Amino acid sequence: LSKLLLALTLLVLGAATTLSLPIAVRQMIDLGFDPAQQSAITRYFLLLLGVALAMGLFTSLRYFWVSWIGQRVVADLRRAVYRKILSFSPAFFETTRTGEVLSRINTDTTLVEVVVGSTFSITLRSAVMFLGASAMMIITSPWLALLIGLLIPLLIAPIVFMGRWVRRLSKANQDRIADMSATATETINAIKTVQSYAQDARETKRFSDNAEAVFGIARQRIRAETIMGILIVWLMFGGMIGVLWIGAQEVIEGTMSAGTLSQFVLYAIIAAT
């Protein structure tokens, strides 16, 4: 628990330093690089340097502790899965292939490692950055923030629809990998029998068919992820560019400073990424 709290603290500190960058940029732009403001500009550049150093430190330390937590969870999970498997009745092992059991111990727990160690970390960081950047966008320009907010439903719909498709394909991919692993394990364990009856070609074809099935599902998953990425980028940046065009008109009309628009743009980029 203490390690988790430490990781969360570093996450918040890293987010805070990142979100402070646009404020310094705004001040520098609004000062207009006037020679009379040289000392103030120098202070803001030093501030930017300090923020960048702090951001690098907090981000790296957060990665270390989140990765440590992920490895700890996976080790405990593997131990629990193995203990559970050993408690099953002999009938279970008669009806379940050895390769499939080994695949669940190795491949599936490795997938959990990816989810806990990297995916969860990235998701949590993105959520904190999105909320923080959204709040600063509202503070910077409520009108432009409202327009950006109206675009969110257009982004959520394809993400939800395509996300379900990708999850189904990912599950199917894991099942095909389990089948391939089971086939290889069965053949290797009975290699003397296979060779004695000259079944090398048959078993090679069976494994090849399984490997091709894994490739086929993986290809579908990659295609789905690619389509989802294209839709998200098009909708996200297309909408943002339109909103920022409106902001540019306000700068021309004098109702908003160039520094304020630049600050809003940076927060929008942070929220989008």
Side-chain angles (χ1 to χ4, degrees):
L1 181 59
S2 61
K3 302 295 189 303
L4 180 60
L5 292 176
L6 177 59
L8 292 175
T9 301
L10 291 170
L11 172 63
V12 172
L13 291 174
T17 54
T18 302
L19 294 174
S20 65
L21 285 172
I23 298 176
V25 172
R26 171 189 175 182
Q27 295 298 326
M28 287 189 298
I29 293 176
D30 284 342
L31 287 175
F33 298 98
D34 187 348
Q37 302 290 341
Q38 182 176 359
S39 60
I41 293 176
T42 300
R43 285 198 304 272
Y44 284 118
F45 270 104
L46 291 176
L47 175 62
L48 280 174
L49 177 60
V51 169
L53 294 176
M55 182 174 60
L57 176 64
F58 294 143
T59 301
S60 298
L61 291 177
R62 175 190 59 82
Y63 171 79
F64 172 82
W65 285 113
V66 169
S67 300
W68 186 94
I69 293 172
Q71 293 294 333
R72 182 69 270 167
V73 169
V74 170
D76 293 341
L77 180 61
R78 283 173 174 158
R79 185 162 52 247
V81 170
Y82 190 72
R83 183 168 56 247
K84 181 66 175 178
I85 289 175
L86 293 183
S87 67
F88 288 159
S89 65
F92 171 81
F93 296 99
E94 292 177 359
T95 58
T96 305
R97 294 172 297 183
T98 303
E100 183 174 354
V101 175
L102 294 176
S103 176
R104 299 308 179 187
I105 295 176
N106 297 320
T107 306
D108 289 6
T109 52
T110 301
L111 181 61
V112 172
E113 176 185 352
V114 173
V115 173
V116 176
S118 59
T119 304
F120 176 74
S121 173
I122 294 173
T123 302
L124 183 60
R125 177 189 175 279
S126 298
V128 172
M129 294 300 297
F130 175 78
L131 293 175
S134 298
M136 293 304 298
M137 287 167 60
I138 295 174
I139 294 173
T140 304
S141 176
W143 165 239
L144 294 182
L146 175 61
L147 294 178
I148 290 289
L150 295 177
L151 297 174
I152 293 179
L154 297 177
L155 294 174
I156 292 178
I159 291 176
V160 172
F161 176 77
M162 300 295 293
R164 292 175 178 173
W165 184 20
V166 171
R167 282 196 299 272
R168 288 197 299 268
L169 292 175
S170 296
K171 183 180 182 302
N173 189 52
Q174 286 301 113
D175 291 340
R176 298 292 79 75
I177 291 176
D179 292 340
M180 183 178 65
S181 177
T183 298
T185 302
E186 289 175 356
T187 302
I188 293 173
N189 287 339
I191 189 62
K192 293 183 178 180
T193 303
V194 170
Q195 292 176 343
S196 298
Y197 288 90
Q199 295 297 309
D200 309 53
R202 175 179 174 275
E203 293 302 321
T204 299
K205 183 180 183 306
R206 193 158 69 102
F207 183 84
S208 298
D209 291 341
N210 288 333
E212 195 64 27
V214 172
F215 170 73
I217 294 295
R219 184 176 56 192
Q220 295 180 42
R221 177 179 55 80
I222 293 171
R223 183 188 302 118
E225 292 174 345
T226 302
I227 295 174
M228 182 170 66
I230 292 173
L231 288 176
I232 291 174
V233 170
W234 282 358
L235 292 172
M236 180 185 301
F237 287 97
M240 285 178 56
I241 290 172
V243 171
L244 296 179
W245 178 83
I246 296 175
Q249 303 308 306
E250 294 188 4
V251 173
I252 294 174
E253 295 171 0
T255 57
M256 177 185 293
S257 70
T260 300
L261 179 60
S262 299
Q263 177 176 319
F264 185 87
V265 169
L266 291 175
Y267 282 130
I269 293 174
I270 291 174
T273 55

